[in-house]
Amino acid sequence: MMRRPRLDLRDQPLAGGQPLAFGIGLAVALFVGTLLLLGAGHDPLKIYSRMFEASLGDPDAWAVTLNRAVPLGLAGLAVAVAGSMGLWNIGAEGQIMAGAITASWVARIGGEWPGLILITAMLIAALGGGGLLALGPAVAKAKLGVNEIITTLMLNEVAIRLVQWLIHGPWKDPDAYNFPLAPMLPEQAHLPTLFSRAHGGILIAIGVIVISSVAVKYTAWGYELRIAGSSEATARYSGISLPQKILMVLVLSGGIAGLAGGVELTGTADRLTETLSNGFGFAGIIVAALALMRPSGVAVVAVLFGAVQIGGQSIQTLGVSSSVSTILQAFVLFGAIGAGVLSRYRILFEGETHATPEAVDK
Amino acid sequence: MSEASLIGLFVATVSFGALLYLAALGELLAEKAGILNLGVEGMMAIGAVTAFIAGVELKNPWAALVIAMVSGAALASVHGFFTVALGAEQVVSGLSLTILGLGLAAYLGKDYVGQPPGAELVPVQWSGLSDLPWVGPIIFKQAPIVYFALLMGIAVSLVLANTRLGLALRAAGESASSTDSAGHSVLGLRLGAVAAGGALAGASGAYLTLSITPQWAEGLTAGRGWIAVALVIFGAWRPGRVAWGALLFGGTLALKTRLQTFGVDFSPIILSMLPYILTLLILLVISVRSRKRPSPAPAGLGFAYRREER
């Protein structure tokens, strides 16, 4: 007779469980990808080596991968900051757009300003734009208890349409032959490059991630945040004002996502477009989840995930449909989600107990 | 504004309404059982592409519809496996499902882009009724899947409200542990609801490629899955109210392409924001009112359930 399996919570998560989970996700993706590539008549080995070459093979490849990791990491950080308090910010995609809108607006009025001042003003505006879009959901959650998952999700669709409206209407470039395009950014509004095509946004992202990680992990503010995230009751007994914390954290989270939009605009884009974000906000949720909602973990995950994305794009020149890379990403995610669960649980079969020899020894 | 163009607007409103309703009903089923599935967009895309491929290969629209529903259910079961069986985060798994569904749909459909459809679900003629002025074209001359959506809405309402299965399913969404104590399988109920929801999302996608725009292209679903998620909230998790909401939101989709022909100087882009903004307003109203009466959202929505949780 077959015994039914069940999940049993481990006393402690497996050591190194999360890197292992990501590795397993990657392995699953490679396996499924091999099947897909063989099915489409490609040579998997050739495709995979091309993916690696194009994403991590040389400094030029690293530059592109790191540039991609910037919006992924900042969006991931935005989600993780909210997540350390148990809140879900699903609106990073829209907040990135909002940040790009306000940064573009600054570029429109400050076209003659010197570069350093213009870029700084644009990035501050981006921070504010993202925070502003998160303000509604933040107030609704803090004051009325409205589920932030849905409010932030809905505002994504609103923000993307706002960009469409701007570039089809008020911000349409009169010199673009009637194409719905926003005007090009001023020349001095572009972030300086570090090496190859890698831009200064990488330093900004690292800085913001380090500051946020330290703030969440080592300050009283961050401690209160994590307490509020683990237990509402405990937080209330220790005198932490939950509504105030919720408000602050969600607006901050939106601001960080907005900053991602500003950096992406000044770093890699020529102008505001409706595809500026291109799913970075949703990918940020995945990055944060793979980093177990720890701000300190998002940087590494963002670089790995960026490499998967850039590698996936590169194989289109070999005639592989871009959908293969999308599917690979999805399998990395599901593989990692599954492995992440199993690093916290173990499978036991009916009749077995969770008592392990080590546990008995204690 | 001519009579014909006004009738055309209402015909399209009902048609888009049915499209959104099918997907929203599916999401409602899953959420009633306690599982938030943000993969609607991906499931619709899979339904749309498999229906189109089956139409081309089999030349039978009904077989295509069935295949789309099975594919939608199969994809939804991936979410079911991860969230119900493994207890993974529903938000993360659902968004991953959207990515997977859109990717798979693009992969499967790449040889079918721009091809003529092999099968279509054409509007039904109800002998005399279809010739009535106004109501004839608007109600009695729609594609069969519109009536299917209506039937599904009635069926879901009846099952949820009047059967033991429906009661158990709602209980699984309100309080999983007491449902378990009462001897029902929370696992089975939730997996079943998620799969059934996927089948309905698949049918919604099939409606796109078998009737509304009978061809396949990447990005065909165009964010309508997110409107379906919004609709469930807009309709306060009730199949009847969701139907009215679907007509309203369907109306905005229908109006979007017609504003110019009506000579209305209003941006269609701003109009397309309306469903989301209305849903946000409704959410606010619900939460202000819920200080006096309980929220209509299932109490256990979004929470994983495991026996013997320590």
Side-chain angles (χ1 to χ4, degrees), chain A residues 6-7 9 36 88 90 143 146 150-151 154-155 157 161-162 165 285 289 323 327 330 334 337 341 345 354, chain B residues 82 85-86 88-89 91-93 95 100 103 106-107 226 230 233 267 269 272-273 276 287 291 306 308 310:
Chain A
R6 66 188 169 86
L7 290 172
L9 189 63
L36 287 176
W88 280 106
I90 309 297
K143 303 287 175 199
V146 180
I150 302 297
T151 50
M154 296 292 112
L155 285 177
E157 300 296 313
R161 282 168 178 78
L162 201 58
W165 176 71
I285 296 164
S323 58
I327 297 172
F334 276 118
I337 295 170
V341 169
Y345 291 84
H354 60 257
Chain B
F82 280 98
L86 293 185
E89 281 290 353
V91 171
V92 178
S93 170
L95 291 172
L100 179 63
Y107 180 79
W226 300 118
I233 301 149
S267 164
I269 300 172
S272 67
M273 291 181 190
Y276 309 103
S287 56
R291 296 185 162 180
R306 267 188 215 99
E308 300 166 54
R310 285 193 289 162

Side-chain angles (χ1 to χ4, degrees), chain B residues 141-168:
Chain B
K141 219 171 167 177
Q142 293 280 359
I145 211 161
V146 172
Y147 310 108
F148 175 71
L150 191 67
L151 278 179
M152 281 293 128
I154 294 168
V156 167
S157 310
L158 288 178
V159 168
L160 282 179
N162 299 322
T163 66
R164 290 176 62 91
L165 175 69
L167 181 69

Side-chain angles (χ1 to χ4, degrees), chain B residues 21 24-25 28-29 32 149 152-161 170 231-232 235-246:
Chain B
Y21 190 47
L25 263 183
L28 182 141
L29 267 180
K32 274 287 184 190
M152 281 293 128
I154 294 168
V156 167
S157 310
L158 288 178
V159 168
L160 282 179
R170 283 184 290 136
L231 259 174
V232 178
W237 290 267
R238 292 188 190 176
R241 281 202 206 171
V242 172
W244 293 113

Side-chain angles (χ1 to χ4, degrees), chain A residues 103-167:
Chain A
S104 306
W105 176 71
V106 169
R108 289 175 73 83
I109 55 174
E112 304 297 319
W113 301 353
L116 184 65
I117 295 176
L118 178 60
I119 291 176
T120 310
M122 283 171 77
L123 294 183
I124 292 173
L127 203 69
L132 195 66
L133 195 69
L135 184 63
V139 172
K141 172 75 178 180
K143 303 287 175 199
L144 297 167
V146 180
N147 183 339
E148 78 284 2
I149 296 177
I150 302 297
T151 50
T152 51
L153 181 70
M154 296 292 112
L155 285 177
N156 283 336
E157 300 296 313
V158 174
I160 287 162
R161 282 168 178 78
L162 201 58
V163 173
Q164 289 174 352
W165 176 71
L166 283 169
I167 61 184

